[in-house]
Amino acid sequence: MENINNTELEQMKEQMNLLKEKIEKEKIVNQQLLRVAMKEKVSSLNRDAIIFVILGIVAIPYCTWVFISILNMSWWFIGVTDLFFLAAIVYTYFSHKDIKAKELMDGNLIEVSKKIMRMRRMYANWLKFSIPFVIVWFVWFLFEVLGNNADEGTPFAIGGTVGGIIGGFIGTKMYSRTRNKALDVIQQIKELTEEK
């Protein structure tokens, strides 16, 4: 009877050990899947930033040409507009420059989390500058367009207003999406580091 109890006890211990190994393997697989999901989100954030930088680089010569050739804007207005685009490009670059998706697979997750939090703060700080700037810029745009020739400038003023509203809506959606993705990654990193 004692032999049977010992055998059953040994079998139970083996089963417990197997169960622990399975749970540990499952944890590792889940962590890897979570890291892959985070990597994809960070890659998406960086892709969006690259697209924004490219659009900004294209916008500088394009807007300069339109403002000179079609709208006959002042050189001050054109210069300020180009400087704003340049500042947005540089700021976006510095917001993302240390964030590398590859680090989520093999790097220090706490450091990656700090970098992403820094990016979120930089995006919020950019809004504090860019929203007032764009409002002033847009009023200046209307004065420039309508001041040169009210009859011919009216369609451009209306087009600029509609474009500004659409651009503001798209910008708000992109900003919100970027901040939410970054927050998701930060929360997932927190979950992973708390498990360890």
Side-chain angles (χ1 to χ4, degrees):
M1 187 69 143
E2 199 173 308
N3 256 350
I4 292 173
N5 284 342
N6 283 341
T7 307
E8 286 177 3
L9 190 61
E10 286 300 315
Q11 286 175 346
M12 285 176 68
K13 282 182 183 178
E14 284 178 32
Q15 287 174 349
M16 286 299 285
N17 286 337
L18 281 173
L19 188 60
K20 282 180 185 176
E21 284 178 28
K22 278 186 178 181
I23 289 172
E24 198 57 42
K25 284 179 185 175
E26 205 167 289
K27 263 188 192 176
I28 291 168
V29 168
N30 285 341
Q31 287 176 356
Q32 287 299 329
L33 288 173
L34 202 52
R35 282 178 182 252
V36 168
M38 289 186 300
K39 180 182 176 213
E40 182 51 42
K41 283 180 185 169
V42 170
S43 292
S44 174
L45 287 171
N46 287 337
R47 257 191 319 273
D48 291 348
I50 289 168
I51 290 168
F52 178 80
V53 166
I54 291 169
L55 288 174
I57 290 169
V58 169
I60 291 173
Y62 177 75
C63 287
T64 301
W65 174 77
V66 167
F67 292 160
I68 291 170
S69 302
I70 298 173
L71 301 177
N72 196 27
M73 303 284 226
S74 71
W75 282 103
W76 280 106
F77 181 81
I78 295 167
V80 168
T81 302
D82 289 348
L83 282 174
F84 178 74
F85 281 133
L86 191 60
I89 290 166
V90 170
Y91 200 85
T92 300
Y93 169 77
F94 280 107
S95 297
H96 287 262
K97 81 176 179 98
D98 293 329
I99 299 172
K100 304 201 178 8
K102 181 179 168 282
E103 287 182 348
L104 286 161
M105 297 307 287
D106 54 11
N108 180 343
L109 292 179
I110 307 264
E111 282 302 310
V112 174
S113 179
K114 286 179 185 175
K115 291 174 184 176
I116 294 173
M117 282 191 272
R118 178 183 154 275
M119 181 203 75
R120 285 186 88 227
R121 271 193 311 276
M122 287 182 77
Y123 269 62
N125 289 337
W126 176 254
L127 281 186
K128 292 174 190 172
F129 162 74
S130 64
I131 289 175
F133 175 85
V134 168
I135 291 169
V136 170
W137 177 90
F138 187 69
V139 170
W140 189 6
F141 169 80
L142 292 176
F143 275 113
E144 289 267 341
V145 168
L146 295 173
N148 290 336
N149 188 340
D151 292 336
E152 290 179 21
T154 302
F156 291 112
I158 293 169
T161 302
V162 171
I165 291 168
I166 293 169
F169 178 76
I170 291 170
T172 303
K173 291 295 258 184
M174 287 179 64
Y175 171 77
S176 178
R177 191 178 82 195
T178 298
R179 292 207 19 116
N180 288 339
K181 277 185 194 176
L183 184 61
D184 286 349
V185 172
I186 290 166
Q187 288 173 338
Q188 288 173 336
I189 288 173
K190 188 176 178 186
E191 286 172 24
L192 268 179
T193 52
E194 284 175 353
E195 281 178 14
K196 292 182 178 180

